[in-house]
Amino acid sequence: MKIIMLGAPGAGKGTQAEKIAEKYQIPHISTGDIFRHNISEGTALGKKAEGYIDQGLLVPDELVVDLVVDRIHQPDCTKGYILDGFPRTIPQAQYLDKALKEMGTNVKWAIDVHVPDEEIIRRMSGRRACLNCGATYHIEHAAPEKEGVCDKCGEELVQREDDHPETVKKRLEVYHEQTQPLIAYYRDKGILKVIDGTMDLEDVFKCIVAFLGE
Ligand code: ADP
Ligand code: ADP
Ligand code: ZN
């Protein structure tokens, strides 16, 4: 089961991808988490990516495509995987298609979690992230058991630098301009499924499972 999660920043891709990964026992591959990990480790990739991320811009395609293609060649990916935050541009999608073709496989579904911009701005101000394990919370809709502490690994939760309102506005602009065209791209391939992401997160998940099958 090879799945792509589409949707604006804050639509709930990461939240749903984590639940899908657990239910179907496939790896959750989040390019945002990979970048944040590299930034906190101070790697060469992290140093190159940081400036773009802080400004709410996309990291250049060439810094992300090979990283993802290498990852999906790992042995844990043979059964399937869920890509969260990739592809984000048409050239990234074309590169992925080419790599998958060479591997003799293809993407099964692209799931678009649809949430209007106004709701995104509200959601992002309450998002809290664990930079250690990638878990995501919301101060009202998905609060951790203990305030400010990750349920999964016990690390401190933070508000991401790029989740401040001005940067969120910029990221939404970038989304509409560069990422939204992917919806038509996957619709044309006949593998797009649009899900209403404004529902409660458990209901969004139920819709996804109803679609993917038990
Ligand atoms: P969100 O959870 O808001 O959708 P992510 O955690 O997926 O955000 O990504 C955070 C940032 O990392 C993005 O704003 C972008 O700068 C960078 N990024 C992540 N994935 C990609 C990608 N596929 N192409 C370019 N930039 C990316
Ligand atoms: P993305 O990966 O698309 O950027 P996240 O999964 O990180 O989005 O979700 C963004 C924020 O909204 C997080 O704080 C998350 O806990 C919260 N959230 C996710 N899904 C829902 C939902 N259906 N209703 C309300 N809040 C949600
Ligand atoms: Zn954690």
Side-chain angles (χ1 to χ4, degrees):
M1 188 182 285
K2 294 166 184 135
I3 304 168
I4 290 173
M5 296 299 284
L6 296 174
K13 301 181 296 298
T15 301
Q16 298 301 328
E18 203 175 298
K19 292 167 80 65
I20 295 169
E22 198 183 328
K23 179 167 174 69
Y24 298 98
Q25 290 293 300
I26 49 177
H28 168 198
I29 303 173
S30 158
T31 45
D33 284 350
I34 295 172
F35 284 130
R36 282 184 289 279
H37 182 74
N38 275 274
I39 291 169
S40 68
E41 296 285 307
T43 67
L45 175 66
K47 291 201 174 87
K48 283 186 205 154
E50 195 167 15
Y52 298 100
I53 295 177
D54 286 349
Q55 289 177 69
L57 302 173
L58 293 183
V59 172
D61 291 340
E62 59 272 23
L63 290 184
V64 67
V65 288
D66 289 327
L67 179 147
V68 173
V69 171
D70 285 348
R71 180 67 189 84
I72 62 177
H73 273 89
Q74 300 299 310
D76 63 332
C77 287
T78 44
K79 249 183 57 192
Y81 41 80
I82 175 142
L83 292 178
D84 162 19
F86 182 92
R88 256 181 158 101
T89 63
I90 295 280
Q92 288 181 18
Q94 290 168 335
Y95 194 95
L96 177 67
D97 279 346
K98 187 168 150 277
L100 289 172
K101 201 169 168 201
E102 283 165 12
M103 294 168 82
T105 181
N106 53 7
V107 174
K108 183 136 176 72
W109 298 113
I111 299 176
D112 175 37
V113 183
H114 184 78
V115 176
D117 287 9
E118 314 81 72
E119 173 64 19
I120 297 278
I121 307 250
R122 267 199 298 274
R123 266 189 203 181
M124 295 299 243
S125 58
R127 170 154 74 177
R128 295 295 178 271
C130 173
L131 297 183
N132 181 49
C133 77
T136 302
Y137 300 86
H138 190 280
I139 50 175
E140 291 160 34
H141 311 298
E145 273 169 32
K146 183 157 178 266
E147 197 188 318
V149 179
C150 180
D151 290 346
K152 306 221 162 74
C153 75
E155 282 294 312
E156 185 194 357
L157 300 177
V158 297
Q159 179 167 32
R160 276 166 45 179
E161 262 318 303
D162 60 343
D163 277 355
H164 293 283
E166 282 316 306
T167 317
V168 171
K169 281 190 194 135
K170 180 71 204 167
R171 288 162 67 201
L172 279 171
E173 268 173 44
V174 168
Y175 168 75
H176 290 300
E177 206 173 288
Q178 299 190 63
T179 307
Q180 209 171 17
L182 290 175
I183 294 176
Y185 180 90
Y186 289 110
R187 183 181 290 125
D188 289 348
K189 288 183 180 288
I191 60 168
L192 180 77
K193 174 70 183 172
V194 180
I195 300 269
D196 175 5
T198 62
M199 298 177 290
D200 179 84
L201 61 91
E202 292 300 338
D203 290 332
V204 176
F205 185 57
K206 276 186 201 145
C207 279
I208 294 176
V209 171
F211 171 68
L212 293 176
E214 277 298 335

